Amino acid sequence: MPSLDKPDSHTAEVRSAGSDPAVYVEDIRKSFGEVHALQGISFTAARGQVLGILGPNGAGKTTAVKILSTLLRPDSGIARVAGHDVRKDPAAVRRSIMMTGQYAALDENLSGRENLELFGRLMGLPRKAARQRADSLLEEFDLTNAGRRAVRHYSGGMRRRVDIACGLVVRPEVVFLDEPTTGLDPRSRQGVWDLVNALKTQGITVLLTTQYLEEADVLSDNIIVIDKGTVIAEGTADALKQKTGGSYCEVVPLDPTHLAAAADALGDLVPEATRTEIGSGDRLSIPAPDGAATLSEALRRLDSAGIELADIGLRRPSLDDVFLSLTGHSGGIQ
């Protein structure tokens, strides 16, 4: 895992300034002609945590990230990154952040090492320091053997690692990862996940936009859901799932024609609304407010009634269920 440089005295001073968030957004609005991309979004990201930003295509996620990284100017509202106002002091914001998009912004004709050296020089490092930092990052990102090969010969996962490493040549306070695992195979995705956790371990704040709901679930300390330019939900993954209905017990009779009999056997465990919908499908889902105790009681009643089961289990709503309930459609790449 990458072990980043220790923060300089200014960074240490900022970090000791109390509980000020690393990112503060209040009533930010942005329109493009008649299209209202952001309609007053507000949220914060704590220092040293991962904030997942979810939303369907066109929801406003990328517009928000572009404003926070000073690539776009908001029409109104307040946005501060690492204590710097994005409108009043964009240069200071840019010095405090690192951003990587869906596609690696690398010179494919240069080697990985040369790309890292180039970024180091662009960030103001002397030639020798840039070379030393490049070698250090290649080792930390497990790219030493590939470091002298042209990037055009790299796999997607290797390109992503070099791309992120380039942003860490000088230690940032906030990292923006805009759908960083798009197009990567499962092994490469896991590698990026490990990098995100390494950034968090180093006390760096990460804003992660993604349409892979599993990714947000695994990595994020807190999540906001943006739809149609507004924040429609915010909280931890568990808190958002709880809003969707909490745990439930799923019952699958061995013979689907016994579904009504299973519902009768379960008695008052089956909500009336669920009972009226019996007739289609092969399973029942009942609330499990007491978790395993509800599952045990359901098993006891079904066994007493002689209902044979293909499956029974205690389930929790997925983040995809949350996304569906909040936005009206499921998540994932569209």
Side-chain angles (χ1 to χ4, degrees):
M1 291 303 95
S3 56
L4 307 177
D5 290 339
K6 291 182 180 179
D8 57 25
S9 59
H10 170 70
T11 302
E13 181 180 334
V14 171
R15 290 191 182 283
S16 65
S19 57
D20 291 343
V23 177
Y24 176 85
V25 177
E26 180 182 337
D27 197 28
I28 286 291
R29 298 175 184 270
K30 181 66 180 179
S31 296
F32 301 96
E34 297 299 315
V35 178
H36 304 297
L38 297 177
Q39 303 186 59
I41 66 168
S42 300
F43 63 88
T44 61
R47 294 183 181 276
Q49 292 195 335
V50 179
L51 174 68
I53 304 176
L54 302 181
N57 286 335
K61 304 188 304 295
T62 299
T63 299
V65 168
K66 285 184 175 180
I67 287 173
L68 292 172
S69 56
T70 75
L71 296 177
L72 281 177
R73 187 177 178 85
D75 296 333
S76 62
I78 300 170
R80 291 194 294 269
V81 178
H84 308 294
D85 190 288
V86 299
R87 289 198 286 185
K88 297 177 181 177
D89 200 355
V93 172
R94 288 191 286 271
R95 286 194 298 268
S96 304
I97 67 172
M98 166 263 197
M99 181 177 181
T100 190
Q102 300 177 35
Y103 307 102
L106 303 170
D107 188 326
E108 295 197 346
N109 293 316
L110 298 180
S111 68
R113 187 174 189 267
E114 289 168 336
N115 270 281
L116 286 164
E117 285 188 48
L118 175 61
F119 272 77
R121 296 290 285 155
L122 291 172
M123 295 298 291
L125 294 181
R127 186 180 303 277
K128 182 179 180 181
R131 188 177 301 119
Q132 290 174 341
R133 185 63 176 145
D135 289 338
S136 175
L137 286 167
L138 287 172
E139 182 178 352
E140 291 162 5
F141 280 75
D142 195 23
L143 290 166
T144 301
N145 292 334
R148 297 187 182 278
R149 296 208 314 265
V151 167
R152 65 176 178 272
H153 299 304
Y154 285 12
S155 67
M158 291 168 66
R159 288 171 185 244
R160 177 63 65 228
R161 277 185 282 161
V162 174
D163 192 35
I164 293 175
C166 284
L168 301 177
V169 168
V170 175
R171 189 187 196 283
E173 289 189 58
V174 179
V175 169
F176 296 97
L177 298 180
D178 189 13
E179 301 189 14
T181 59
T182 296
L184 298 185
D185 59 74
R187 182 176 179 181
S188 296
R189 282 182 68 199
Q190 183 62 55
V192 174
W193 289 9
D194 291 342
L195 291 177
V196 172
N197 284 322
L199 294 174
K200 178 182 172 182
T201 299
Q202 294 293 325
I204 294 174
T205 302
V206 178
L207 266 66
L208 172 72
T209 68
T210 180
Q211 291 189 36
Y212 293 118
L213 300 182
E214 177 195 6
E215 189 163 88
D217 201 352
V218 169
L219 297 176
S220 302
D221 297 293
N222 203 43
I223 293 171
I224 63 171
V225 182
I226 298 178
D227 194 27
K228 299 177 182 177
T230 62
V231 176
I232 60 174
E234 180 175 3
T236 65
D238 285 343
L240 292 176
K241 291 174 185 178
Q242 194 64 36
K243 289 181 180 179
T244 307
S247 299
Y248 62 95
C249 184
E250 190 173 65
V251 179
V252 185
L254 186 62
D255 185 344
T257 63
H258 293 168
L259 204 59
D264 289 340
L266 290 169
D268 59 1
L269 295 179
V270 181
E272 196 57 40
T274 301
R275 195 179 295 277
T276 59
E277 294 174 359
I278 293 174
S280 60
D282 63 350
R283 64 195 62 206
L284 278 172
S285 293
I286 61 174
D290 298 321
T294 302
L295 176 63
S296 297
E297 177 62 17
L299 271 170
R300 187 189 66 76
R301 295 186 186 189
L302 291 165
D303 185 58
S304 297
I307 305 292
E308 293 186 85
L309 299 175
D311 187 27
I312 186 170
L314 192 63
R315 315 282 191 239
R316 296 183 62 212
S318 68
L319 213 51
D320 198 72
D321 295 328
V322 175
F323 202 91
L324 175 61
S325 69
L326 291 172
T327 67
H329 50 79
S330 63
I333 298 299
Q334 301 171 13

mmCIF file of all heavy atoms in Angstrom, residues 12-53:
data_model
loop_
_atom_site.group_PDB
_atom_site.id
_atom_site.type_symbol
_atom_site.label_atom_id
_atom_site.label_comp_id
_atom_site.label_asym_id
_atom_site.label_seq_id
_atom_site.Cartn_x
_atom_site.Cartn_y
_atom_site.Cartn_z
ATOM 1 N N ALA A 12 -0.361 20.060 8.625
ATOM 2 C CA ALA A 12 -0.563 19.672 10.020
ATOM 3 C C ALA A 12 -1.376 20.720 10.757
ATOM 4 O O ALA A 12 -2.248 20.393 11.573
ATOM 5 C CB ALA A 12 0.793 19.487 10.702
ATOM 6 N N GLU A 13 -1.117 21.984 10.429
ATOM 7 C CA GLU A 13 -1.865 23.059 11.082
ATOM 8 C C GLU A 13 -3.332 23.008 10.697
ATOM 9 O O GLU A 13 -4.231 23.169 11.522
ATOM 10 C CB GLU A 13 -1.268 24.409 10.667
ATOM 11 C CG GLU A 13 -1.949 25.606 11.311
ATOM 12 C CD GLU A 13 -1.319 26.920 10.866
ATOM 13 O OE1 GLU A 13 -0.131 26.911 10.505
ATOM 14 O OE2 GLU A 13 -2.035 27.929 10.876
ATOM 15 N N VAL A 14 -3.586 22.738 9.389
ATOM 16 C CA VAL A 14 -4.969 22.636 8.932
ATOM 17 C C VAL A 14 -5.683 21.485 9.617
ATOM 18 O O VAL A 14 -6.816 21.585 10.070
ATOM 19 C CB VAL A 14 -5.004 22.459 7.389
ATOM 20 C CG1 VAL A 14 -6.406 22.123 6.939
ATOM 21 C CG2 VAL A 14 -4.522 23.736 6.700
ATOM 22 N N ARG A 15 -4.969 20.351 9.743
ATOM 23 C CA ARG A 15 -5.596 19.170 10.330
ATOM 24 C C ARG A 15 -5.892 19.358 11.805
ATOM 25 O O ARG A 15 -6.779 18.723 12.353
ATOM 26 C CB ARG A 15 -4.698 17.948 10.128
ATOM 27 C CG ARG A 15 -4.650 17.522 8.679
ATOM 28 C CD ARG A 15 -3.975 16.177 8.538
ATOM 29 N NE ARG A 15 -3.899 15.820 7.146
ATOM 30 C CZ ARG A 15 -4.908 15.357 6.433
ATOM 31 N NH1 ARG A 15 -6.082 15.211 6.990
ATOM 32 N NH2 ARG A 15 -4.768 15.054 5.162
ATOM 33 N N SER A 16 -5.108 20.201 12.461
ATOM 34 C CA SER A 16 -5.317 20.390 13.894
ATOM 35 C C SER A 16 -6.306 21.512 14.175
ATOM 36 O O SER A 16 -6.528 21.887 15.309
ATOM 37 C CB SER A 16 -3.972 20.716 14.555
ATOM 38 O OG SER A 16 -3.469 21.960 14.085
ATOM 39 N N ALA A 17 -6.917 22.035 13.125
ATOM 40 C CA ALA A 17 -7.799 23.187 13.289
ATOM 41 C C ALA A 17 -9.155 22.805 13.850
ATOM 42 O O ALA A 17 -10.069 23.605 13.868
ATOM 43 C CB ALA A 17 -7.971 23.897 11.947
ATOM 44 N N GLY A 18 -9.300 21.535 14.261
ATOM 45 C CA GLY A 18 -10.560 21.132 14.863
ATOM 46 C C GLY A 18 -11.321 20.193 13.954
ATOM 47 O O GLY A 18 -10.736 19.459 13.180
ATOM 48 N N SER A 19 -12.617 20.251 14.029
ATOM 49 C CA SER A 19 -13.450 19.304 13.300
ATOM 50 C C SER A 19 -13.975 19.882 11.997
ATOM 51 O O SER A 19 -14.971 19.396 11.475
ATOM 52 C CB SER A 19 -14.628 18.877 14.189
ATOM 53 O OG SER A 19 -15.380 20.008 14.603
ATOM 54 N N ASP A 20 -13.354 20.933 11.468
ATOM 55 C CA ASP A 20 -13.791 21.486 10.195
ATOM 56 C C ASP A 20 -13.748 20.390 9.138
ATOM 57 O O ASP A 20 -12.764 19.654 9.026
ATOM 58 C CB ASP A 20 -12.875 22.642 9.765
ATOM 59 C CG ASP A 20 -13.041 23.860 10.654
ATOM 60 O OD1 ASP A 20 -14.061 23.921 11.368
ATOM 61 O OD2 ASP A 20 -12.163 24.737 10.638
ATOM 62 N N PRO A 21 -14.803 20.277 8.325
ATOM 63 C CA PRO A 21 -14.799 19.232 7.296
ATOM 64 C C PRO A 21 -13.772 19.516 6.213
ATOM 65 O O PRO A 21 -13.389 20.671 5.977
ATOM 66 C CB PRO A 21 -16.227 19.282 6.741
ATOM 67 C CG PRO A 21 -16.705 20.671 7.027
ATOM 68 C CD PRO A 21 -16.047 21.063 8.318
ATOM 69 N N ALA A 22 -13.324 18.463 5.553
ATOM 70 C CA ALA A 22 -12.395 18.630 4.441
ATOM 71 C C ALA A 22 -13.096 19.248 3.242
ATOM 72 O O ALA A 22 -12.491 19.992 2.468
ATOM 73 C CB ALA A 22 -11.784 17.290 4.064
ATOM 74 N N VAL A 23 -14.381 18.931 3.089
ATOM 75 C CA VAL A 23 -15.186 19.494 1.999
ATOM 76 C C VAL A 23 -16.494 20.005 2.592
ATOM 77 O O VAL A 23 -17.170 19.286 3.337
ATOM 78 C CB VAL A 23 -15.484 18.440 0.909
ATOM 79 C CG1 VAL A 23 -16.388 19.030 -0.174
ATOM 80 C CG2 VAL A 23 -14.191 17.919 0.298
ATOM 81 N N TYR A 24 -16.823 21.259 2.276
ATOM 82 C CA TYR A 24 -18.045 21.868 2.778
ATOM 83 C C TYR A 24 -18.796 22.470 1.591
ATOM 84 O O TYR A 24 -18.252 23.295 0.847
ATOM 85 C CB TYR A 24 -17.726 22.964 3.794
ATOM 86 C CG TYR A 24 -18.939 23.713 4.293
ATOM 87 C CD1 TYR A 24 -19.697 23.221 5.350
ATOM 88 C CD2 TYR A 24 -19.332 24.918 3.701
ATOM 89 C CE1 TYR A 24 -20.817 23.905 5.805
ATOM 90 C CE2 TYR A 24 -20.450 25.607 4.139
ATOM 91 C CZ TYR A 24 -21.187 25.098 5.203
ATOM 92 O OH TYR A 24 -22.298 25.771 5.637
ATOM 93 N N VAL A 25 -20.029 22.034 1.402
ATOM 94 C CA VAL A 25 -20.849 22.500 0.277
ATOM 95 C C VAL A 25 -22.190 22.977 0.813
ATOM 96 O O VAL A 25 -22.866 22.235 1.537
ATOM 97 C CB VAL A 25 -21.072 21.370 -0.758
ATOM 98 C CG1 VAL A 25 -21.992 21.837 -1.884
ATOM 99 C CG2 VAL A 25 -19.740 20.899 -1.325
ATOM 100 N N GLU A 26 -22.560 24.196 0.474
ATOM 101 C CA GLU A 26 -23.821 24.760 0.947
ATOM 102 C C GLU A 26 -24.570 25.442 -0.200
ATOM 103 O O GLU A 26 -24.106 26.433 -0.771
ATOM 104 C CB GLU A 26 -23.568 25.785 2.057
ATOM 105 C CG GLU A 26 -24.843 26.425 2.615
ATOM 106 C CD GLU A 26 -24.566 27.473 3.673
ATOM 107 O OE1 GLU A 26 -23.481 27.427 4.292
ATOM 108 O OE2 GLU A 26 -25.418 28.348 3.873
ATOM 109 N N ASP A 27 -25.696 24.860 -0.569
ATOM 110 C CA ASP A 27 -26.637 25.453 -1.530
ATOM 111 C C ASP A 27 -25.960 25.823 -2.855
ATOM 112 O O ASP A 27 -26.174 26.910 -3.408
ATOM 113 C CB ASP A 27 -27.295 26.691 -0.915
ATOM 114 C CG ASP A 27 -28.567 27.098 -1.668
ATOM 115 O OD1 ASP A 27 -29.207 26.206 -2.259
ATOM 116 O OD2 ASP A 27 -28.901 28.288 -1.667
ATOM 117 N N ILE A 28 -25.162 24.894 -3.377
ATOM 118 C CA ILE A 28 -24.498 25.136 -4.660
ATOM 119 C C ILE A 28 -25.488 24.918 -5.803
ATOM 120 O O ILE A 28 -26.190 23.903 -5.851
ATOM 121 C CB ILE A 28 -23.279 24.206 -4.828
ATOM 122 C CG1 ILE A 28 -22.133 24.672 -3.939
ATOM 123 C CG2 ILE A 28 -22.830 24.148 -6.283
ATOM 124 C CD1 ILE A 28 -21.515 25.982 -4.368
ATOM 125 N N ARG A 29 -25.501 25.879 -6.731
ATOM 126 C CA ARG A 29 -26.369 25.799 -7.896
ATOM 127 C C ARG A 29 -25.550 26.018 -9.165
ATOM 128 O O ARG A 29 -24.616 26.812 -9.190
ATOM 129 C CB ARG A 29 -27.486 26.847 -7.811
ATOM 130 C CG ARG A 29 -28.400 26.639 -6.606
ATOM 131 C CD ARG A 29 -29.443 27.747 -6.446
ATOM 132 N NE ARG A 29 -30.207 27.527 -5.238
ATOM 133 C CZ ARG A 29 -31.331 26.801 -5.177
ATOM 134 N NH1 ARG A 29 -31.808 26.259 -6.299
ATOM 135 N NH2 ARG A 29 -31.963 26.625 -4.030
ATOM 136 N N LYS A 30 -25.938 25.285 -10.223
ATOM 137 C CA LYS A 30 -25.263 25.437 -11.506
ATOM 138 C C LYS A 30 -26.226 25.074 -12.631
ATOM 139 O O LYS A 30 -26.846 24.005 -12.611
ATOM 140 C CB LYS A 30 -24.027 24.529 -11.584
ATOM 141 C CG LYS A 30 -23.248 24.643 -12.880
ATOM 142 C CD LYS A 30 -22.608 26.010 -13.036
ATOM 143 C CE LYS A 30 -21.819 26.131 -14.322
ATOM 144 N NZ LYS A 30 -21.218 27.487 -14.476
ATOM 145 N N SER A 31 -26.360 25.999 -13.565
ATOM 146 C CA SER A 31 -27.233 25.770 -14.715
ATOM 147 C C SER A 31 -26.438 25.951 -15.999
ATOM 148 O O SER A 31 -25.493 26.744 -16.064
ATOM 149 C CB SER A 31 -28.418 26.744 -14.700
ATOM 150 O OG SER A 31 -29.235 26.530 -13.570
ATOM 151 N N PHE A 32 -26.852 25.217 -17.023
ATOM 152 C CA PHE A 32 -26.307 25.369 -18.370
ATOM 153 C C PHE A 32 -27.486 25.720 -19.278
ATOM 154 O O PHE A 32 -28.184 24.834 -19.772
ATOM 155 C CB PHE A 32 -25.633 24.075 -18.832
ATOM 156 C CG PHE A 32 -24.513 23.626 -17.926
ATOM 157 C CD1 PHE A 32 -24.749 22.690 -16.926
ATOM 158 C CD2 PHE A 32 -23.234 24.136 -18.066
ATOM 159 C CE1 PHE A 32 -23.728 22.265 -16.085
ATOM 160 C CE2 PHE A 32 -22.205 23.720 -17.229
ATOM 161 C CZ PHE A 32 -22.452 22.789 -16.238
ATOM 162 N N GLY A 33 -27.707 27.018 -19.446
ATOM 163 C CA GLY A 33 -28.889 27.446 -20.186
ATOM 164 C C GLY A 33 -30.146 27.064 -19.437
ATOM 165 O O GLY A 33 -30.326 27.436 -18.276
ATOM 166 N N GLU A 34 -30.990 26.279 -20.073
ATOM 167 C CA GLU A 34 -32.245 25.855 -19.458
ATOM 168 C C GLU A 34 -32.084 24.594 -18.605
ATOM 169 O O GLU A 34 -33.036 24.152 -17.960
ATOM 170 C CB GLU A 34 -33.307 25.592 -20.550
ATOM 171 C CG GLU A 34 -33.673 26.821 -21.364
ATOM 172 C CD GLU A 34 -34.267 27.914 -20.491
ATOM 173 O OE1 GLU A 34 -35.130 27.585 -19.646
ATOM 174 O OE2 GLU A 34 -33.875 29.082 -20.654
ATOM 175 N N VAL A 35 -30.897 24.008 -18.627
ATOM 176 C CA VAL A 35 -30.653 22.775 -17.871
ATOM 177 C C VAL A 35 -30.105 23.127 -16.494
ATOM 178 O O VAL A 35 -29.031 23.728 -16.373
ATOM 179 C CB VAL A 35 -29.657 21.856 -18.608
ATOM 180 C CG1 VAL A 35 -29.385 20.599 -17.781
ATOM 181 C CG2 VAL A 35 -30.188 21.492 -19.981
ATOM 182 N N HIS A 36 -30.841 22.766 -15.454
ATOM 183 C CA HIS A 36 -30.428 23.040 -14.076
ATOM 184 C C HIS A 36 -29.709 21.808 -13.539
ATOM 185 O O HIS A 36 -30.330 20.897 -12.984
ATOM 186 C CB HIS A 36 -31.638 23.390 -13.218
ATOM 187 C CG HIS A 36 -32.425 24.554 -13.761
ATOM 188 N ND1 HIS A 36 -31.897 25.814 -13.877
ATOM 189 C CD2 HIS A 36 -33.696 24.622 -14.235
ATOM 190 C CE1 HIS A 36 -32.801 26.636 -14.382
ATOM 191 N NE2 HIS A 36 -33.904 25.924 -14.617
ATOM 192 N N ALA A 37 -28.390 21.802 -13.695
ATOM 193 C CA ALA A 37 -27.602 20.619 -13.327
ATOM 194 C C ALA A 37 -27.570 20.406 -11.824
ATOM 195 O O ALA A 37 -27.662 19.274 -11.342
ATOM 196 C CB ALA A 37 -26.179 20.750 -13.871
ATOM 197 N N LEU A 38 -27.413 21.496 -11.063
ATOM 198 C CA LEU A 38 -27.421 21.435 -9.599
ATOM 199 C C LEU A 38 -28.416 22.452 -9.085
ATOM 200 O O LEU A 38 -28.376 23.619 -9.457
ATOM 201 C CB LEU A 38 -26.025 21.721 -9.030
ATOM 202 C CG LEU A 38 -24.908 20.737 -9.395
ATOM 203 C CD1 LEU A 38 -23.577 21.206 -8.814
ATOM 204 C CD2 LEU A 38 -25.235 19.332 -8.927
ATOM 205 N N GLN A 39 -29.284 22.001 -8.189
ATOM 206 C CA GLN A 39 -30.372 22.861 -7.716
ATOM 207 C C GLN A 39 -30.307 23.052 -6.200
ATOM 208 O O GLN A 39 -31.268 22.818 -5.487
ATOM 209 C CB GLN A 39 -31.718 22.274 -8.129
ATOM 210 C CG GLN A 39 -31.842 22.072 -9.642
ATOM 211 C CD GLN A 39 -33.230 21.623 -10.044
ATOM 212 O OE1 GLN A 39 -34.223 22.301 -9.781
ATOM 213 N NE2 GLN A 39 -33.307 20.465 -10.676
ATOM 214 N N GLY A 40 -29.118 23.448 -5.729
ATOM 215 C CA GLY A 40 -28.992 23.737 -4.306
ATOM 216 C C GLY A 40 -28.534 22.560 -3.482
ATOM 217 O O GLY A 40 -29.161 22.230 -2.466
ATOM 218 N N ILE A 41 -27.445 21.914 -3.874
ATOM 219 C CA ILE A 41 -26.960 20.767 -3.108
ATOM 220 C C ILE A 41 -26.125 21.241 -1.926
ATOM 221 O O ILE A 41 -25.423 22.247 -2.000
ATOM 222 C CB ILE A 41 -26.147 19.779 -3.972
ATOM 223 C CG1 ILE A 41 -24.844 20.421 -4.463
ATOM 224 C CG2 ILE A 41 -26.975 19.264 -5.132
ATOM 225 C CD1 ILE A 41 -23.888 19.417 -5.063
ATOM 226 N N SER A 42 -26.216 20.500 -0.830
ATOM 227 C CA SER A 42 -25.445 20.778 0.386
ATOM 228 C C SER A 42 -24.984 19.454 0.990
ATOM 229 O O SER A 42 -25.777 18.512 1.085
ATOM 230 C CB SER A 42 -26.290 21.541 1.413
ATOM 231 O OG SER A 42 -26.747 22.782 0.905
ATOM 232 N N PHE A 43 -23.707 19.391 1.379
ATOM 233 C CA PHE A 43 -23.187 18.212 2.069
ATOM 234 C C PHE A 43 -21.798 18.541 2.603
ATOM 235 O O PHE A 43 -21.197 19.565 2.251
ATOM 236 C CB PHE A 43 -23.123 16.986 1.152
ATOM 237 C CG PHE A 43 -22.191 17.124 -0.027
ATOM 238 C CD1 PHE A 43 -20.850 16.784 0.067
ATOM 239 C CD2 PHE A 43 -22.669 17.581 -1.244
ATOM 240 C CE1 PHE A 43 -19.990 16.902 -1.010
ATOM 241 C CE2 PHE A 43 -21.825 17.705 -2.336
ATOM 242 C CZ PHE A 43 -20.479 17.363 -2.221
ATOM 243 N N THR A 44 -21.279 17.674 3.450
ATOM 244 C CA THR A 44 -19.914 17.806 3.952
ATOM 245 C C THR A 44 -19.207 16.465 3.853
ATOM 246 O O THR A 44 -19.858 15.410 3.799
ATOM 247 C CB THR A 44 -19.874 18.281 5.422
ATOM 248 O OG1 THR A 44 -20.549 17.308 6.239
ATOM 249 C CG2 THR A 44 -20.535 19.639 5.578
ATOM 250 N N ALA A 45 -17.884 16.516 3.820
ATOM 251 C CA ALA A 45 -17.064 15.307 3.864
ATOM 252 C C ALA A 45 -16.045 15.488 4.973
ATOM 253 O O ALA A 45 -15.281 16.461 4.973
ATOM 254 C CB ALA A 45 -16.372 15.068 2.528
ATOM 255 N N ALA A 46 -16.032 14.576 5.933
ATOM 256 C CA ALA A 46 -15.118 14.673 7.068
ATOM 257 C C ALA A 46 -13.686 14.366 6.641
ATOM 258 O O ALA A 46 -13.448 13.653 5.659
ATOM 259 C CB ALA A 46 -15.547 13.704 8.165
ATOM 260 N N ARG A 47 -12.738 14.897 7.380
ATOM 261 C CA ARG A 47 -11.331 14.653 7.089
ATOM 262 C C ARG A 47 -10.983 13.176 7.319
ATOM 263 O O ARG A 47 -11.390 12.579 8.295
ATOM 264 C CB ARG A 47 -10.442 15.536 7.964
ATOM 265 C CG ARG A 47 -10.592 17.028 7.637
ATOM 266 C CD ARG A 47 -9.656 17.881 8.472
ATOM 267 N NE ARG A 47 -9.853 19.300 8.153
ATOM 268 C CZ ARG A 47 -9.269 19.934 7.134
ATOM 269 N NH1 ARG A 47 -8.449 19.269 6.358
ATOM 270 N NH2 ARG A 47 -9.503 21.209 6.915
ATOM 271 N N GLY A 48 -10.238 12.627 6.370
ATOM 272 C CA GLY A 48 -9.779 11.253 6.500
ATOM 273 C C GLY A 48 -10.850 10.213 6.295
ATOM 274 O O GLY A 48 -10.690 9.062 6.693
ATOM 275 N N GLN A 49 -11.958 10.580 5.647
ATOM 276 C CA GLN A 49 -13.023 9.618 5.385
ATOM 277 C C GLN A 49 -13.336 9.554 3.897
ATOM 278 O O GLN A 49 -12.939 10.425 3.120
ATOM 279 C CB GLN A 49 -14.291 9.976 6.170
ATOM 280 C CG GLN A 49 -14.136 9.816 7.670
ATOM 281 C CD GLN A 49 -15.471 9.814 8.398
ATOM 282 O OE1 GLN A 49 -16.450 10.354 7.909
ATOM 283 N NE2 GLN A 49 -15.497 9.201 9.561
ATOM 284 N N VAL A 50 -14.057 8.493 3.512
ATOM 285 C CA VAL A 50 -14.474 8.311 2.126
ATOM 286 C C VAL A 50 -15.956 8.658 2.021
ATOM 287 O O VAL A 50 -16.790 8.058 2.703
ATOM 288 C CB VAL A 50 -14.243 6.861 1.657
ATOM 289 C CG1 VAL A 50 -14.719 6.686 0.210
ATOM 290 C CG2 VAL A 50 -12.776 6.475 1.780
ATOM 291 N N LEU A 51 -16.270 9.637 1.171
ATOM 292 C CA LEU A 51 -17.659 10.000 0.900
ATOM 293 C C LEU A 51 -18.043 9.454 -0.461
ATOM 294 O O LEU A 51 -17.459 9.823 -1.484
ATOM 295 C CB LEU A 51 -17.841 11.522 0.914
ATOM 296 C CG LEU A 51 -19.242 12.016 0.508
ATOM 297 C CD1 LEU A 51 -20.284 11.623 1.557
ATOM 298 C CD2 LEU A 51 -19.253 13.534 0.290
ATOM 299 N N GLY A 52 -19.014 8.549 -0.486
ATOM 300 C CA GLY A 52 -19.524 8.018 -1.736
ATOM 301 C C GLY A 52 -20.606 8.924 -2.289
ATOM 302 O O GLY A 52 -21.505 9.339 -1.566
ATOM 303 N N ILE A 53 -20.505 9.250 -3.572
ATOM 304 C CA ILE A 53 -21.502 10.094 -4.236
ATOM 305 C C ILE A 53 -22.177 9.251 -5.304
ATOM 306 O O ILE A 53 -21.560 8.872 -6.306
ATOM 307 C CB ILE A 53 -20.863 11.351 -4.859
ATOM 308 C CG1 ILE A 53 -20.094 12.142 -3.800
ATOM 309 C CG2 ILE A 53 -21.925 12.223 -5.509
ATOM 310 C CD1 ILE A 53 -19.362 13.353 -4.351
#
